[in-house]
Amino acid sequence: NVKVGQSGVIIVTQDATGGRTLSFGNNWKFSRGIVPAINPAAGSVTVIHYYALSATQVLAAMSKAIA
């Protein structure tokens, strides 16, 4: 359930195999309307920052190639 004003960070770490994907619901909004893919490299870290603007809009930004 989305709580307006909620914010946070989600850290996604690929396992030793890598190549895993992540999908987002329609309420997740990324820059220019483009949903980015997480880094597929084995052991890589992707950081997702989010802010719940409303019950139907979660603004998000993604940082890849952290590790």
Side-chain angles (χ1 to χ4, degrees):
N1 295 336
V2 177
K3 286 184 150 185
V4 175
Q6 180 179 352
S7 64
V9 176
I10 299 169
I11 298 172
V12 180
T13 304
Q14 288 280 5
D15 60 16
T17 302
R20 311 295 180 206
T21 60
L22 187 63
S23 61
F24 297 88
N26 291 333
N27 57 337
W28 286 79
K29 308 298 180 190
F30 289 89
S31 178
R32 292 179 261 135
I34 300 169
V35 179
I38 62 173
N39 190 333
S44 67
V45 176
T46 300
V47 178
I48 304 164
H49 303 269
Y50 72 91
Y51 175 77
L53 185 62
S54 71
T56 59
Q57 288 190 343
V58 179
L59 307 180
M62 187 179 293
S63 300
K64 296 191 280 188
I66 304 295

